[in-house]
Amino acid sequence: MNDTLTSDVIGRRVEVNGEHATVHFSGIVPPVAGLWLGVEWDNPERGKHDGSHEGTVYFKCRHPTGGSFIRPNKVNFGVDFLTAVKNRYVLEDGPEEDVNEQIVIIGKKPVEAIGFDSIIKQQSQLSKLQEISLRNCAVNCAGDRGTIAKACPNIRKVDLSRNLLSSWDEVLDIADQLKHLEVLNLSENKLRFPSGSSSRTGTFPALKVLVLNRTGITWAEVLRCASGWPVLEELYLKSNDLFISERPADVLQMVKLLDLSSNQLIDENQLLLIAYLPRLEQLILSDIGISSIHFPDAGTGHKTSMFPSLQYLVVNDNQISQWPFINELDKLQSLHALSCIRNPLTEGSKEAQTTRQLIIAKIGQLKTLNKCEILPEERRGAELDYRKAFGNEWKKAGGHQDPDKNRPHEEFLRAHPRYQLLCLKYGAPEDGELQTQQPFLLKNQLLTLKVKYPNQVDQRVLEKQLPDSMTIQKVKGLLARLLKVPVSEFLLSYESPKMPGREIELENDQQSLQFYSVESGDCLLVRW
């Protein structure tokens, strides 16, 4: 870059030794002669000052050490889109192809063309491209009008993350030439977006996935541009300091996945503004600092009309510490999968397995928790344990085995919205189940179980005492030694007098007898 720059450089994105910055000043900085560029670094630790020098303010920075003055010849202003594509994707011809000659007719005169085959080959390579990644390739503009459409007409997926694009207009100049574009990643480009209703927002007729992480976009700008994304299905807006200020009206209606992670200004009231996106199936809210949520249209035990299609919710790395948050999630009519790791509620003193069981019991339609499938027997065990664990509290609140007398007070029902339903499903807890638990002693954790062999009529029925914490694998090992049968041949299940006629398979060797809700008096069934 020469030393005769004009004011056109103001606002341009530049790269210097791998670090990105925005130009805010171009001119003389006395007493040193020559032209200087004043830049604000994306990484403020890279700078030296706030845009001032010897008491004179040349430009302003958001951080006191975010600015520097740099000579223009040290700065990379980047390349156009097609140049970056050729640099990365066009194969160089070998020496034997470089000397290839061909006679072509220009007008009526034959002309000898050297390397003509190489040009045709390059054009063919580019025209076949459908997916390209230009991450960190210093792309700053579209280049000459129409050149992208002519050279790369079939591109469908583009990664333009961490480049030198400085405005939405530059993005439009590229996208307007890619009529089949379905996936576009613009993350880590500090973009200026349209600010007024008359601004150019553009249209992306085929775009289904748009990634705008760390671009500095605001919620108002999202809604202003969204009219140009008529078929968009996935929108990623991570780390933009978003504040959801208004409800989407006639935009984002096709969106199925929305990622709002790491936007610390978002709270539960703002989330209600996006609660009626009709097709939203996945909502990612990791690391937004949320601690509570409430659906005001639904009372205890009822489903909300909000987020009608939401199937998968991610709330990892937040401040969730109270069970009412989980209770509210049971109101979501379509929720089947939840991820909520690294929250105070799940990282506290209670065992992870106990917390998992409580969440399963509280959200009735959940099929996957923290990316782990909830099997029917795990749900049954979790719900039975929950029913037993809070049985005494239920009775004190007015619960009763007689349905006509079963009227627990409102405070209990708010804390345990599904408890009454579990009583209908499994029957009200009996007094014998609700005895106060004794102090932890091994004898109190031993289960007295019968052991039968349905396929071996000559084997007598055994009675064994086993710790409820014993894994299925260790139970099989014990039985293998007793019966002189290889562990690999065992099939283990159990039946309970509380569920006559039903047999439950013990299929996970790593789980304990307690996990499957095996109790004293139950019968292990061993087959080989």
Side-chain angles (χ1 to χ4, degrees):
M1 180 64 68
N2 60 44
D3 285 355
T4 59
L5 296 175
T6 68
S7 59
D8 290 344
V9 300
I10 305 301
R12 293 276 296 275
R13 296 282 292 163
V14 295
E15 180 264 328
V16 183
N17 298 326
E19 296 276 1
H20 286 191
T22 302
V23 179
H24 290 316
F25 169 82
S26 173
I28 307 299
V29 183
V32 183
L35 191 64
W36 291 93
L37 296 178
V39 303
E40 181 178 10
W41 300 99
D42 291 0
N43 175 14
E45 295 180 1
R46 174 67 174 78
K48 297 180 178 180
H49 51 71
D50 62 355
S52 303
H53 180 65
E54 295 186 352
T56 301
V57 177
Y58 292 91
F59 64 98
K60 293 183 178 180
C61 293
R62 287 170 292 181
H63 193 278
T65 62
S68 294
F69 292 108
I70 299 177
R71 292 295 192 185
N73 61 359
K74 301 292 186 182
V75 169
N76 176 14
F77 277 83
V79 298
D80 64 75
F81 181 91
L82 197 54
T83 298
V85 172
K86 289 179 178 179
N87 289 343
R88 175 160 287 194
Y89 289 96
V90 171
L91 301 177
E92 295 295 335
D93 293 315
E96 71 283 353
E97 295 179 333
D98 288 342
V99 298
N100 194 12
E101 299 180 0
Q102 183 171 341
I103 303 298
V104 297
I105 305 298
I106 298 179
K108 296 182 178 180
K109 183 179 179 179
V111 177
E112 184 177 77
I114 297 177
F116 199 76
D117 283 351
S118 176
I119 296 173
I120 295 174
K121 183 177 180 181
Q122 290 181 7
Q123 291 175 340
S124 175
Q125 289 172 354
L126 294 180
S127 67
K128 291 177 181 177
L129 288 175
Q130 292 192 18
E131 297 187 13
I132 63 171
S133 175
L134 298 178
R135 176 173 172 79
N136 214 15
C137 287
V139 176
N140 66 0
C141 65
D144 294 337
R145 186 176 181 84
T147 55
I148 299 174
K150 184 176 179 180
C152 314
N154 295 309
I155 290 178
R156 285 171 163 75
K157 182 176 181 180
V158 179
D159 182 353
L160 279 170
S161 58
R162 193 168 170 74
N163 276 284
L164 301 180
L165 298 166
S166 60
S167 73
W168 188 246
D169 281 346
E170 291 165 357
V171 174
L172 294 179
D173 289 340
I174 295 171
D176 283 349
Q177 300 181 59
L178 301 174
K179 299 303 182 185
H180 304 292
L181 187 62
E182 295 179 359
V183 180
L184 178 59
N185 186 350
L186 295 168
S187 297
E188 298 175 79
N189 287 282
K190 300 294 184 182
L191 298 171
R192 296 189 307 274
F193 290 89
S195 57
S197 58
S198 61
S199 302
R200 178 187 176 206
T201 56
T203 301
F204 299 74
L207 193 65
K208 293 183 179 179
V209 179
L210 179 57
V211 188
L212 294 171
N213 300 334
R214 299 183 182 90
T215 57
I217 194 169
T218 67
W219 184 251
E221 291 165 347
V222 169
L223 299 187
R224 193 173 297 125
C225 294
S227 59
W229 315 328
V231 297
L232 192 69
E233 295 181 355
E234 299 183 14
L235 179 58
Y236 297 84
L237 298 170
K238 185 176 180 179
S239 302
N240 282 305
D241 290 326
L242 284 178
F243 182 94
I244 301 176
S245 54
E246 56 184 302
R247 187 171 171 175
D250 302 321
V251 293
L252 305 180
Q253 300 300 296
M254 303 294 287
V255 168
K256 295 181 180 179
L257 183 153
L258 181 59
D259 185 354
L260 297 171
S261 298
S262 301
N263 287 290
Q264 294 284 332
L265 299 177
I266 293 177
D267 60 26
E268 61 172 305
N269 293 322
Q270 294 173 51
L271 293 177
L272 300 185
L273 293 173
I274 59 169
Y276 292 99
L277 291 174
R279 291 176 175 81
L280 185 62
E281 297 176 357
Q282 299 183 52
L283 181 58
I284 305 174
L285 300 174
S286 296
D287 186 33
I288 66 169
I290 194 170
S291 60
S292 61
I293 195 166
H294 177 60
F295 304 114
D297 67 323
T300 302
H302 294 85
K303 298 297 183 184
T304 177
S305 62
M306 298 181 176
F307 297 103
S309 301
L310 187 62
Q311 299 178 20
Y312 182 33
L313 177 63
V314 181
V315 287
N316 301 332
D317 301 293
N318 280 295
Q319 301 301 317
I320 301 165
S321 61
Q322 302 294 326
W323 286 108
F325 187 101
I326 302 299
N327 291 340
E328 283 295 299
L329 298 186
D330 187 55
K331 295 179 180 180
L332 294 168
Q333 54 188 289
S334 302
L335 187 68
H336 292 149
L338 173 67
S339 184
C340 60
I341 58 176
R342 296 185 297 274
N343 279 282
L345 187 67
T346 57
E347 301 296 310
S349 59
K350 291 187 176 181
E351 294 182 7
Q353 186 60 43
T354 302
T355 303
R356 176 180 172 86
Q357 287 185 309
L358 287 171
I359 293 174
I360 292 170
K362 283 178 171 290
I363 307 177
Q365 70 274 26
L366 211 58
K367 296 180 180 178
T368 303
L369 178 56
N370 298 331
K371 297 186 177 181
C372 183
E373 182 183 3
I374 302 169
L375 299 173
E377 292 312 314
E378 182 181 12
R379 171 161 292 285
R380 174 186 169 274
E383 292 179 342
L384 283 172
D385 286 350
Y386 183 86
R387 166 182 159 275
K388 184 189 299 185
F390 296 96
N392 283 321
E393 189 177 332
W394 168 74
K395 287 193 71 176
K396 290 177 183 177
H400 200 283
Q401 285 92 346
D402 184 345
D404 294 332
K405 299 178 181 179
N406 182 24
R407 296 185 184 88
H409 56 59
E410 186 62 30
E411 184 180 350
F412 177 85
L413 294 178
R414 280 198 303 271
H416 306 281
R418 295 195 71 235
Y419 197 88
Q420 292 287 75
L421 187 148
L422 296 181
C423 288
L424 290 173
K425 185 175 181 179
Y426 299 107
E430 299 175 2
D431 290 340
E433 297 179 81
L434 305 181
Q435 293 176 354
T436 303
Q437 190 170 0
Q438 298 298 314
F440 184 90
L441 296 171
L442 179 60
K443 66 180 182 179
N444 292 331
Q445 308 304 313
L446 291 177
L447 304 176
T448 302
L449 305 173
K450 293 180 180 179
V451 184
K452 294 182 180 178
Y453 320 94
N455 297 341
Q456 312 293 326
V457 293
D458 56 332
Q459 292 279 1
R460 65 185 182 87
V461 176
L462 292 178
E463 188 171 286
K464 300 291 293 182
Q465 282 194 325
L466 303 176
D468 63 0
S469 60
M470 194 173 193
T471 65
I472 305 305
Q473 186 176 41
K474 289 183 178 179
V475 174
K476 287 181 177 179
L478 173 66
L479 294 172
R481 293 192 295 273
L482 286 173
L483 300 170
K484 307 292 191 294
V485 176
V487 171
S488 59
E489 297 183 13
F490 275 141
L491 292 176
L492 201 60
S493 59
Y494 85 97
E495 57 185 10
S496 170
K498 293 183 179 180
M499 297 179 293
R502 185 177 178 187
E503 186 175 329
I504 298 155
E505 186 177 353
L506 305 176
E507 56 188 358
N508 190 336
D509 287 353
Q510 305 307 313
Q511 296 290 2
S512 65
L513 292 170
Q514 183 184 41
F515 173 84
Y516 285 103
S517 297
V518 178
E519 300 177 346
S520 287
D522 290 349
C523 181
L524 295 179
L525 303 175
V526 188
R527 295 181 175 86
W528 65 90

